Structure formats: C-alpha cells, structure tokens
Amino acid sequence: MIINHRENDEFLEQARLNKIPQGLGINNNLDNHLRFKKGQFCVIIGHANTGKTFWVLFYLLCLSKLHKKKHLIYSAENSINGLKRNLIELYAAKQIKNQTPKELENNKAFIEEHFDFIDQKKMWDISEFMQSVQAINKKYDSIMIDPINSFKRPRGVNSHEQDYETASKLRLYAKKFQTTIYVCMHCSTEALRKVHPAKHQYEGLPIRPNAADAEGGGKWQNRADDMISIHRQVSHATDWMYTQIHVLKVKETQSGGCPTIHNNPVLFKLERGLAFTCEGVNSLQ
C-alpha cells in the first residue's frame, strides 16, 4: 500500500538537473502542446463527421513512422477495410488506385507491421475487452478505442456509473502496462445545438466542443491525462479543409506539452485528401 520513497529518487534527480525525459513529438507545431507519453489516458472529443478518426489515424501513423510505435485499433463505427485504406493512402500520400502492385505491397506491409485491428462483430463489455487485450501475445504502444460508447452496459448499471468504471479501468490499465490509451468520444446533443453568433466568421456553424460537451460530461476531463477537442467547419466554403486541434488538458506539462490558447488551435490542412500539413510540414514525408 505504501510506496517506497526511493522509487521517486530518479525522477527528483532528473528534475533537479532539468533533465526530465520529454514525450515524443511528430516534428511540427503540435509538439508544443501534445506529446506521446507512455501509460497516458487520453480523451478525444469532437462532433460527428468532422474527421476525428481520420486525423487520429494520421497522428498514430506519424508515431509509427518516426518512432516505430505499434497500435491496436478498436473502431466500432468504421470498417477495417476503410481504416486500412486510409492508413495506406496517408502513408503513401497516394490513392491506392494510383499505386503499383509493388508499392501497395510495401505500404500494406508497413501498416500491418505497426497496426492491428480488433474484430468489430463482437459486442464487448469493458472488463471482457481489457482481459482479451491483455491476453494478446504482443506488446502495443497504444490502444485506440473509437467510440467509447461501443461497450455494453452491464445490467443494473446506469450510464454515469458505467462511465466512471470504464474510465477508471482504462486509466489503471494504461498505468499498469505502460500502454497509452486514446479514447474517442461523441459530444452531447446540447453541444450540437451551439453555433457561432451573427457576424462571426463562422456564423451559424457549430462551435468546437469543450470538455464538458463530451457525452457523460466533465467526468472524462477529470479522469484524463490529456484531453483534445478536434473540430472542423465541414460546411464552410474555404475552411472545410482545416482540422483544428484544441488541446484542452495536459496533466504533466514538465514532460512536454501544454493546452492551446483559447480558440487558437493547431491547424492541420488536408491536402488532396491524402496528407495533413501543419504550417506546411507533412510529418510523414
């Protein structure tokens, strides 16, 4: 129950020397705000159909190419065919139909070396899911769950209790096995009703979600180590191609990262539907 004080000595000495190890970046402006760190529990919120999953796949792919990280994906609302195609095309910056058989084979090999996918046909509860993941004879650097409300609710448990139990189990798993967990979440119905006022640049278009707009409310921000809001003005005539990354929470800033300034997100431009650039930088090239 009681922690041995000597377990903290190495960290404290690193802090004294200003040599605390920094989380991993992807070589663009996002690194000032978000870093990959082992054993983190990260919550990602955003409205439906704004490209949350697509951008997160890009981010994980950058971690694979730059740092050789391996990921396990459970995406109940997207086909595995579509996910693999997105990854291959992002990695190659070329549509599959324009790739030669040899190019496709090489690109597919890279994706299959760094990404595995969980069967979507089964309806899991959170305990069974984590036990099954733990039983896999392979070490993953991260697990992506998209969306979190895909899990069955146990009989007799209300949604509030289930949220707390799910968040606690995922957080404990991340810490115990030093596996970073990314949880994608939908927003509440009320969040969908919030639009920018008259004379605003985005008049009548949806406002980006805040932490409290997550389905289930602010408890998710409370449990998370990092929290991100992903937003895109899908219906805007020119800005539809810009994915906004609002970093709402970074618990451990001493190892890198900090929240973005209010309404001053890191912008990723989607180029030809095949590449994200941040201030002109494509981290996959």
Side-chain angles (χ1 to χ4, degrees):
M1 178 184 293
I2 303 298
I3 294 294
N4 184 334
H5 285 298
R6 301 287 70 77
E7 292 181 11
N8 310 118
D9 286 349
E10 181 181 3
F11 170 79
L12 295 174
E13 181 64 10
Q14 289 171 339
R16 186 184 73 83
L17 297 172
N18 195 27
K19 291 185 176 180
I20 293 175
Q22 298 296 288
L24 301 176
I26 60 170
N27 299 342
N28 60 38
N29 186 42
L30 184 67
D31 296 351
N32 295 318
H33 302 282
L34 184 67
R35 297 292 186 101
F36 174 86
K37 303 170 188 178
K38 291 182 180 179
Q40 296 286 89
F41 176 48
C42 305
V43 173
I44 301 167
I45 61 171
H47 294 306
N49 199 37
T50 54
K52 289 191 305 297
T53 302
F54 192 52
W55 186 88
V56 175
L57 290 177
F58 161 78
Y59 178 71
L60 298 180
L61 189 54
C62 289
L63 293 173
S64 295
K65 184 167 184 180
L66 297 172
H67 306 293
K68 298 180 170 50
K69 297 303 180 185
K70 298 187 177 182
H71 315 284
L72 181 63
I73 308 293
Y74 175 52
S75 185
E77 295 182 350
N78 298 278
S79 72
I80 293 174
N81 284 341
L83 295 172
K84 289 186 73 173
R85 177 175 182 169
N86 286 339
L87 285 165
I88 289 168
E89 292 186 339
L90 283 168
Y91 180 66
K94 183 188 290 188
Q95 290 183 330
I96 283 183
K97 67 180 182 180
N98 296 326
Q99 298 178 30
T100 67
K102 183 62 175 176
E103 286 175 330
L104 177 56
E105 192 62 30
N106 290 338
N107 296 331
K108 187 170 62 173
F110 180 89
I111 298 306
E112 292 176 356
E113 179 183 356
H114 293 88
F115 290 83
D116 284 332
F117 302 87
I118 292 177
D119 188 357
Q120 304 162 318
K121 301 183 185 70
K122 182 177 175 60
M123 188 76 171
W124 303 88
D125 66 45
I126 184 62
S127 296
E128 182 186 18
F129 178 84
M130 299 314 298
Q131 290 169 3
S132 298
V133 169
Q134 189 175 340
I136 298 173
N137 187 27
K138 187 173 180 179
K139 170 64 178 173
Y140 295 100
D141 298 292
S142 84
I143 300 170
M144 172 188 170
I145 299 170
D146 177 31
I148 192 63
N149 63 3
S150 302
F151 294 118
K152 290 189 296 187
R153 186 191 305 175
R155 190 181 300 273
V157 176
N158 64 43
S159 59
H160 182 70
E161 292 171 339
Q162 184 188 22
D163 285 348
Y164 266 114
E165 180 180 0
T166 298
S168 296
K169 287 182 176 179
L170 292 174
R171 181 177 171 81
L172 287 171
Y173 183 96
K175 303 304 178 191
K176 180 177 180 179
F177 295 101
Q178 288 296 282
T179 300
T180 299
I181 295 180
Y182 296 96
V183 166
C184 294
M185 300 192 65
H186 295 305
C187 297
S188 66
T189 302
E190 175 61 25
L192 296 172
R193 299 190 183 104
K194 298 176 182 177
V195 297
H196 289 283
K199 299 183 180 180
H200 189 277
Q201 175 187 4
Y202 297 129
E203 177 182 348
L205 295 176
I207 294 174
R208 64 96 169 161
N210 292 306
D213 292 322
E215 267 188 342
K219 67 173 81 75
W220 291 99
Q221 183 185 33
N222 300 339
R223 292 294 194 192
D225 293 303
D226 296 343
M227 190 169 193
I228 308 162
S229 175
I230 297 180
H231 192 52
R232 184 166 64 94
Q233 296 295 2
V234 179
S235 301
H236 194 272
T238 57
D239 288 359
W240 62 268
M241 65 186 69
Y242 289 99
T243 296
Q244 306 172 13
I245 306 300
H246 301 261
V247 180
L248 306 179
K249 178 183 180 181
V250 176
K251 179 169 284 187
E252 296 287 349
T253 57
Q254 57 199 346
S255 52
C258 67
T260 49
I261 301 299
H262 180 67
N263 284 340
N264 187 20
V266 179
L267 295 178
F268 284 81
K269 183 180 181 182
L270 184 61
E271 310 271 6
R272 301 174 291 111
L274 297 169
F276 280 108
T277 58
C278 180
E279 298 181 350
V281 176
N282 178 0
S283 297
L284 292 174
Q285 299 299 308

